[in-house]
Amino acid sequence: METQTLHVQTPHPQAPPPLGAHLRSPQLRSAMLVQQEVLYAAREFLRSEGFVELLPPLVGPVTDPGGRGAKALDVDYYGQPYKLMTSAILYKQASLKGFPRLFYIAPNVRVEPPETAATGRHLVEFHQIDVELAGGSRQDAQEIAAGLLTHVVEHAWTAVPEVLRELGRDELDFAELRSGKFDACTHGEAVARLVGLGHPQSPDAEIDWEGEKVLSLESGRPFFVNDYPKGSRGFYDREDPDRPGVLRNFDLIAHGGYGELVSGSERESDYATIVTRMRESGENPAKYAWYLDLAREGIEASAGFGMGLQRLVRFLTGLDALWQVSAYPKLPGVIAP
């Protein structure tokens, strides 16, 4: 991964000001102008690639069990225990029955551990650009993710360059990204790189937040990390049939210290394999009855990803923390309106 000098964010404030002062902030207004262009460009690109936008569900009997210690919020749904969506991935897979290329701009609620408030990269409420394509491979999903990021960045620098410059961003920091250049490494290679740099990264786990930042600062352009170990991600990430214990998944890491923008994978679609993977990960298949009923009927093989909207806006604006690019920020462990 090539190293170059970049504008790197300074340490961020720990919490936002009172909501009224935050909403009046010129900085927030600038961030919202950038976000508006990001959403416009994301929809433009995905529709041009044949994707149909659906509105995601907000509650369901079950939600994505992953999330590095984050918990789902329970709601009483006519006497039934339902969950607020932490991720709509299961619904994306189900929706392939009628929509072979689809996307959501999906709200998510994750009760993150309070200590994540200090990372600058976590909110309780956030949005994802969620994409799924039937019959797709990991390479297909990566090409869409790279094309989406390139198009969004190109559009933002065309539509609101003065806003980005006023925020202290340098157009040269995005030159390689806008040219479509992306690097790639395996999870094993990333772990070896971090250990060599003195960071104690486990080879059996996801790259931790500090490790992502270290790798991100070492790179001059975004890069993919492929082949996470089985057990480090959800049951829906497909295991490589030729390499047991290795998942056909990826992250896309932004350069400049901003860390992960995208997580994605090929999906498990075989009913028996899904049930086995649920049990291996400690999940009770009975909780997923509606999803498993669909899987028994036959779920399309697919690949897809989620791109964090607030993380993308923060990367473009260069601001210190996600709360600065959210109009109504809720930091982990902080009670807010």
Side-chain angles (χ1 to χ4, degrees):
M1 290 176 282
E2 181 179 338
T3 302
Q4 76 180 50
T5 302
L6 294 167
H7 170 77
V8 177
Q9 68 271 26
T10 56
H12 65 87
Q14 294 297 309
L19 185 58
H22 178 59
L23 290 170
R24 290 192 297 269
S25 164
Q27 181 177 263
L28 177 66
R29 176 172 174 78
S30 295
M32 294 301 94
L33 291 174
V34 173
Q35 178 178 278
Q36 177 174 263
E37 299 302 331
V38 167
L39 288 168
Y40 174 89
R43 288 186 164 105
E44 179 182 60
F45 174 81
L46 290 169
R47 290 183 63 177
S48 75
E49 293 290 327
F51 288 87
V52 174
E53 182 175 5
L54 302 182
L55 296 178
L58 301 180
V59 300
V62 72
T63 186
D64 179 1
R68 299 190 188 190
K71 297 179 180 179
L73 280 176
D74 296 320
V75 297
D76 184 330
Y77 187 73
Y78 299 106
Q80 296 298 313
Y82 268 44
K83 303 285 186 183
L84 289 178
M85 287 295 107
T86 63
S87 165
I89 181 172
L90 304 182
Y91 289 91
K92 283 198 304 180
Q93 284 186 279
S95 298
L96 295 171
K97 287 181 174 289
F99 302 91
R101 294 169 79 89
L102 69 104
F103 74 98
Y104 303 141
I105 306 296
N108 295 276
V109 178
R110 296 181 187 175
V111 184
E112 300 277 1
E115 59 268 22
T116 62
T119 68
R121 299 179 53 233
H122 295 85
L123 293 171
V124 174
E125 294 180 348
F126 64 98
H127 293 76
Q128 287 193 140
I129 305 169
D130 250 324
V131 178
E132 200 75 15
L133 56 156
S137 66
R138 176 172 64 187
Q139 182 176 347
D140 294 328
Q142 289 181 329
E143 287 176 358
I144 293 294
L148 173 59
L149 179 58
T150 301
H151 183 78
V152 165
V153 171
E154 182 66 31
H155 175 81
W157 275 103
T158 301
V160 286
E162 70 289 347
V163 174
L164 295 171
R165 292 190 185 104
E166 286 172 4
L167 288 166
R169 300 305 271 157
D170 187 337
E171 198 165 355
L172 291 177
D173 288 349
F174 298 87
E176 290 197 58
L177 190 165
R178 291 167 73 182
S179 71
K181 295 178 180 178
F182 289 75
D183 289 322
C185 66
T186 66
H187 177 272
E189 290 168 342
V191 169
R193 175 72 174 154
L194 286 169
V195 171
L197 291 168
H199 180 77
Q201 172 62 49
S202 167
D204 301 317
E206 289 186 294
I207 306 299
D208 61 38
W209 298 307
E210 186 59 32
E212 282 183 9
K213 183 177 179 181
V214 169
L215 294 173
S216 182
L217 285 169
E218 286 286 307
S219 181
R221 54 180 175 246
F223 59 95
F224 290 102
V225 179
N226 298 322
D227 299 340
Y228 281 73
K230 184 180 178 181
S232 67
R233 291 286 179 90
F235 61 79
Y236 41 77
D237 282 13
R238 180 171 177 252
E239 187 173 7
D240 193 319
D242 299 320
R243 295 180 297 163
V246 175
L247 300 175
R248 295 280 298 166
N249 63 0
F250 67 92
D251 280 349
L252 177 58
I253 310 294
H255 60 295
Y258 294 91
E260 174 211 314
L261 293 181
V262 176
S263 282
S265 72
E266 294 178 11
R267 313 303 191 190
E268 293 286 6
S269 57
D270 176 72
Y271 170 78
T273 304
I274 292 171
V275 172
T276 298
R277 290 287 306 282
M278 283 180 175
R279 289 173 174 154
E280 288 175 346
S281 64
E283 289 293 317
N284 179 5
K287 293 195 310 181
Y288 298 87
W290 74 267
Y291 174 73
L292 290 175
D293 285 346
L294 289 174
R296 191 182 292 109
E297 294 173 11
I299 288 180
E300 293 280 348
S302 68
F305 61 86
M307 179 180 287
L309 174 62
Q310 283 81 11
R311 289 185 179 185
L312 177 53
V313 175
R314 181 189 171 216
F315 170 57
L316 276 162
T317 60
L319 293 172
D320 298 319
L322 287 188
W323 69 259
Q324 295 171 301
V325 299
S326 175
Y328 316 104
K330 290 184 175 61
L331 275 175
V334 179
I335 305 300

